[in-house]
Amino acid sequence: MVLRLARRLGVARTIELGYNVTVSHRPFGYADWREAEAAAMRLARSTLPADLAFKAEMADDEDLGPEHEEALRGQAARHLVKLLLSRFGTGWTGIENESGDPAPMTPETLDMFLELFPGVAGTLHASLLAPWIEAEREGNASAPSPDTATAEG
């Protein structure tokens, strides 16, 4: 007999950000996350501040200081949030445009939102990825879906 927790990793969720702001997204899988993460890292390398990008081109990766890695990780996390929400976001509440109407969730409004409220990017990053990071930590990120038939039954 096999016992496992009945959890659904790839489900639609609504993330509470405080101040009556919520972000909703449709399900995405582990492969979707990893693909978006790779794209976010490529984007981060291309959007590093000019001085850090120049230093990176002059030196080997192992010779770069911690400020380079920190800037790269920060940029990548922001790009990852924007990519995941652009691809899988279904809407948000509590975000208005200058006329007071609900703002649409577009790449442009996501950029503006993350620029105006930089702390939100970290919260969204952690909340979007929490189920996948936990499954990966358990060493079972790509386990068969509990809804998938197996040879055993």
Side-chain angles (χ1 to χ4, degrees):
M1 174 192 315
V2 175
L3 295 177
R4 72 174 109 188
L5 295 175
R7 68 173 171 209
R8 306 281 188 242
L9 296 176
V11 297
R13 292 187 302 140
T14 299
I15 300 168
E16 300 272 341
L17 297 175
Y19 301 101
N20 293 322
V21 175
T22 64
V23 175
S24 300
H25 67 85
R26 61 187 171 88
F28 62 90
Y30 184 81
D32 297 320
W33 164 37
R34 288 305 193 179
E35 189 281 323
E37 189 175 53
M41 189 55 79
R42 285 191 303 274
L43 287 168
R45 284 191 178 95
S46 69
T47 59
L48 270 178
D51 60 326
L52 290 176
F54 187 77
K55 287 179 186 176
E57 292 299 323
M58 289 181 17
D60 289 333
D61 284 345
E62 62 267 1
D63 294 336
L64 294 172
E67 68 280 354
H68 179 270
E69 188 63 32
E70 188 175 313
L72 191 62
R73 276 195 315 265
Q75 287 281 346
R78 181 183 167 137
H79 288 305
L80 179 59
V81 166
K82 184 178 171 189
L83 282 169
L84 288 173
L85 289 179
S86 294
R87 293 176 183 175
F88 302 103
T90 56
W92 53 13
T93 61
I95 309 294
E96 301 174 343
N97 60 23
E98 61 275 351
S99 63
D101 298 322
M105 183 186 281
T106 64
E108 294 77 25
T109 56
L110 280 167
D111 241 358
M112 195 180 316
F113 179 65
L114 295 173
E115 180 82 22
L116 290 171
F117 306 101
V120 171
T123 301
L124 276 171
H125 184 267
S127 299
L128 281 167
L129 303 180
W132 296 110
I133 291 171
E134 188 61 35
E136 194 174 63
R137 192 173 296 144
E138 292 173 3
N140 205 16
S142 57
S145 169
D147 300 326
T148 303
T150 64
E152 299 157 355

